[in-house]
């Protein structure tokens, strides 16, 4: 008997109901494994802001709201704030300039309370917003399903940005009392 026929003969020795049920059971297992991984969670890795960004980042972090729509904030690092939305909303201060900004420098993103943000997809149906027209870059990652509208987290963050992150001319625009 040839070597190539042995696996076929072994498969035929398995009872027919087992052979018929094996593919759906394997498929169900794969679907369950995918479903158990949960939704995409943006990274909370701490950026390494340039030296001139450390002070403004620290000021921003101190003034960020402790909650967002009832979700508490944690700070896994001095430059990262995480709100416990589901999935989590993440702010990172002092991130590098997004490479895609060069190709889309004329695209206008959302302007929230006088703060312009560069918007790009996160590859999972959510968005990443990066502060523009200021002396450093701040990123707010809003995964799909974290909020009713992707720009919602920018509303409580934008006034704090105006009060703590100088614009390109070096001015603070709207100090918080």
């Amino acid at each position: 008997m040839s070597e190539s026929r042995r696996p076929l003969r072994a498969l035929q020795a398995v009872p027919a109901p087992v052979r018929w049920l094996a593919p759906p059971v394997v498929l169900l297992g794969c679907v369950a494994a995918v479903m158990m991984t949960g939704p995409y969670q943006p990274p909370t890795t701490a950026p390494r802001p340039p030296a001139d960004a450390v002070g403004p980042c620290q000021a921003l972090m101190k003034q960020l709201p402790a909650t967002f729509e009832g979700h508490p904030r944690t700070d896994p690092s001095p430059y990262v704030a995480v709100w416990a939305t589901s999935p989590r909303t993440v702010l990172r201060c002092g991130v590098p300039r997004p490479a895609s900004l060069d190709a889309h420098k004329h695209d206008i993103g959302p302007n929230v309370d006088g703060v312009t943000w560069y918007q790009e997809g996160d590859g999972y149906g959510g968005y990443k917003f990066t502060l523009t027209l200021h002396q450093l870059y701040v990123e707010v990652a809003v995964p799909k399903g974290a909020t009713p509208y992707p720009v919602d987290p920018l509303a409580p963050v934008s006034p704090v940005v105006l009060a703590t992150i100088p614009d390109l001319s070096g001015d603070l625009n709207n100090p918080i009392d």
Side-chain angles (χ1 to χ4, degrees):
M1 178 184 308
S2 89
E3 292 292 321
S4 64
R5 293 202 172 265
R6 280 192 188 164
L8 183 59
R9 178 164 261 185
L11 186 60
Q12 288 174 342
V14 175
V18 173
R19 287 194 316 259
W20 298 333
L21 289 175
V25 168
V26 169
L27 181 60
L28 184 61
C30 290
V31 168
V34 168
M35 297 299 286
M36 291 180 73
T37 61
Y40 167 74
Q41 297 284 349
T44 59
T45 54
R48 292 183 177 192
D52 60 345
V54 169
C57 279
Q58 289 173 341
L60 174 78
M61 296 298 289
K62 285 180 187 174
Q63 293 189 33
L64 286 173
T67 62
F68 166 67
E69 294 183 354
H71 301 285
R73 182 185 103 203
T74 59
D75 296 342
S77 93
Y79 308 111
V80 178
V82 178
W83 287 274
T85 56
S86 182
R88 66 184 173 225
T89 299
V90 178
L91 178 143
R92 299 183 326 131
C93 187
V95 296
R97 184 176 196 274
S100 61
L101 191 55
D102 291 332
H104 301 283
K105 61 185 168 191
H106 297 294
D107 291 350
I108 297 174
N111 184 306
V112 179
D113 295 329
V115 177
T116 302
W117 297 89
Y118 169 62
Q119 175 182 324
E120 59 186 322
D122 65 7
Y124 299 92
Y127 294 92
K128 186 169 50 171
F129 299 94
T130 306
L131 175 67
T132 59
L133 305 177
H134 284 72
Q135 291 184 351
L136 59 102
Y137 296 99
V138 175
E139 171 188 285
V140 179
V142 186
K144 180 180 179 182
T147 61
Y149 301 100
V151 296
D152 284 352
L154 301 180
V157 170
S158 291
V160 179
V161 163
L162 288 174
T164 58
I165 309 294
D167 64 17
L168 292 176
S169 67
D171 294 330
L172 292 177
N173 297 315
N174 187 20
I176 294 177
D177 296 324

